[in-house]
């Protein structure tokens, strides 16, 4: 795991977008794992800008989102399909047929989860997985006690998550109670992952995810098992990390990061 601390949330999001753009230019057929949430909006804004200004080409890539609510129509403004169309897909030249999200309306949800896993396999696995961080420490919707080897499945959302997402739905009671999410095992199989967390509300959980023991109670801690995970944070989210000097030293000295400094 590597930790990169940026001065602001804008700088953190820009760095994530630049890493993604670099990978996409190196491999136009990139299979991207995508995340939703407020934090990611800044990354997507940068990617849309790079598409418009720098001709960043999405025409050959494929995308798989981490999760989707159960029971929402794609046209529902709170569905993640709507989020992705609104913030990214509609503004870049990705082929809509290559954009994938779990179908939260499937009559057989377990079969849908198996189909989604199979589809990821058929595309050769995920090359680069973007991840946000829930306040309870979840990645995707892998709520506390998610098995470390779990695959795509239906999860019940915890009260903390319902509270965190209530404002989008106009009240906690309106938030769907369940979602389909890639499992921890699915995420750990991606070839590269980038976790982005900004703001002081994420400081406590980032410190646990990076420097705490691995536990299924906080699924982000399992990223310590990931073969190539980069954690990008702003100063606020980094405030409770103990080894900040070490992380800064690595970022300042590792040749791989030279183009991003
Ligand atoms: C939801 C998503 C997560 C995401 C989280 C972060 O819970 N299912 O994948 O990480 O939101 O949200 P925000 O960026 O709004 O804090």
């Amino acid at each position: 795991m590597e930790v990169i601390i940026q001065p602001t949330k804008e700088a953190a999001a820009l760095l994530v977008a630049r890493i993604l753009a670099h990978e996409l230019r190196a491999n136009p057929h990139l299979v991207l794992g995508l995340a939703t949430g407020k934090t990611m909006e800044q990354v997507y804004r940068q990617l849309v800008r790079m598409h418009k200004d720098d001709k960043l080409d999405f025409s050959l890539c494929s995308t798989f989102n981490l999760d989707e609510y159960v029971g929402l129509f794609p046209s529902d403004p709170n569905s993640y399909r709507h989020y992705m169309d609104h913030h990214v897909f509609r503004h870049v030249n990705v082929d809509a047929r290559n954009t994938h999200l779990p179908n939260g309306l499937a009559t057989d949800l377990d079969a849908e989860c198996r189909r989604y896993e199979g589809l990821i396999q058929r595309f050769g696995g995920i090359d680069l997985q973007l991840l946000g961080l829930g306040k309870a420490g979840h990645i995707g919707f892998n709520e506390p006690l998610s098995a470390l080897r779990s695959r795509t499945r239906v999860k019940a959302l915890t009260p903390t998550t319902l509270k965190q997402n209530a404002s989008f739905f106009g009240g906690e009671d309106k938030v769907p109670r369940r979602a389909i999410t890639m499992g921890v095992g699915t995420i750990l199989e991606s070839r590269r992952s980038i976790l982005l967390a900004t703001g002081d509300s994420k400081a406590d959980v980032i410190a646990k995810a990076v420097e705490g023991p691995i536990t299924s109670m906080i699924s982000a801690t399992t990223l310590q098992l990931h073969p190539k995970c980069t954690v990008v944070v702003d100063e606020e989210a980094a405030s409770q990390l103990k080894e900040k000097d070490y992380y800064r030293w690595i970022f300042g000295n590792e040749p791989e990061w030279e183009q991003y400094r």
Side-chain angles (χ1 to χ4, degrees):
M1 192 182 254
E2 281 181 306
V3 180
I4 300 178
I5 304 167
Q6 293 289 284
T8 62
K9 63 176 193 292
E10 290 79 15
L14 177 60
L15 182 72
V16 172
R18 287 178 64 205
I19 298 171
L20 191 151
H22 180 80
E23 296 262 348
L24 185 57
R25 287 200 171 96
N27 173 15
H29 292 273
L30 203 69
V31 180
L32 275 167
L34 298 176
T36 51
K38 277 247 165 294
T39 317
M40 285 300 150
E41 287 178 20
Q42 306 251 8
V43 176
Y44 296 142
R45 208 168 296 139
Q46 291 294 343
L47 290 174
V48 170
R49 182 190 57 75
M50 288 173 181
H51 169 67
K52 297 213 157 88
D53 297 350
D54 312 329
K55 300 196 168 41
L56 184 63
D57 180 20
F58 291 83
S59 63
L60 298 174
C61 77
S62 318
T63 69
F64 285 90
N65 266 75
L66 280 167
D67 43 19
E68 178 60 284
Y69 290 110
V70 167
L72 296 192
F73 281 90
S75 56
D76 188 307
N78 284 311
S79 75
Y80 286 161
R81 167 53 80 178
H82 186 275
Y83 172 105
M84 292 309 299
D85 286 342
H86 179 74
H87 291 288
V88 198
F89 298 155
R90 186 184 298 162
H91 309 289
V92 300
N93 64 336
V94 68
D95 184 339
R97 290 167 302 183
N98 288 335
T99 64
H100 308 278
L101 284 93
N103 175 11
L105 290 173
T107 39
D108 184 341
L109 290 170
D110 291 340
E112 168 59 12
C113 294
R114 285 193 299 274
R115 182 196 70 86
Y116 201 65
E117 280 282 331
L119 204 58
I120 294 172
Q121 296 305 320
R122 234 183 303 141
F123 275 71
I126 290 168
D127 293 311
L128 174 61
Q129 178 67 59
L130 287 189
L131 297 163
L133 184 62
K135 288 207 178 81
H138 67 216
I139 46 178
F141 271 130
N142 288 289
E143 300 286 36
L145 290 182
S146 286
L148 270 55
R149 299 172 70 176
S150 51
R151 316 302 308 190
T152 301
R153 69 220 184 287
V154 178
K155 283 298 282 182
L157 305 182
T158 61
T160 314
T161 302
L162 296 177
K163 214 169 271 144
Q164 189 183 346
N165 292 348
S167 63
F168 299 107
F169 289 85
E172 216 173 300
D173 52 322
K174 300 199 178 72
V175 185
R177 290 307 191 245
R178 296 185 304 159
I180 295 179
T181 180
M182 280 187 204
V184 175
T186 322
I187 294 168
L188 291 182
E189 273 172 23
S190 58
R191 286 181 267 279
R192 181 171 189 183
S193 64
I194 304 178
L195 175 72
L196 172 65
T198 57
D200 50 17
S201 69
K202 302 282 171 76
D204 169 55
V205 79
I206 270 291
K208 287 180 178 146
V210 174
E211 295 174 340
I214 296 174
T215 166
S216 63
M217 287 303 289
I218 305 172
S219 61
T221 63
T222 65
L223 292 170
Q224 295 173 32
L225 295 167
H226 193 283
K228 188 168 171 57
C229 176
T230 307
V231 174
V232 181
V233 286
D234 65 353
E235 288 288 354
E236 286 187 8
S239 62
Q240 290 185 38
L241 289 169
K242 290 198 177 67
E243 303 293 338
K244 277 190 277 192
D245 292 346
Y246 170 57
Y247 310 142
R248 288 200 169 98
W249 192 90
I250 296 283
F251 185 62
N253 289 277
E254 170 61 56
E256 184 193 343
W257 296 116
E258 198 174 331
Q259 60 175 313
Y260 298 104
R261 293 199 277 266

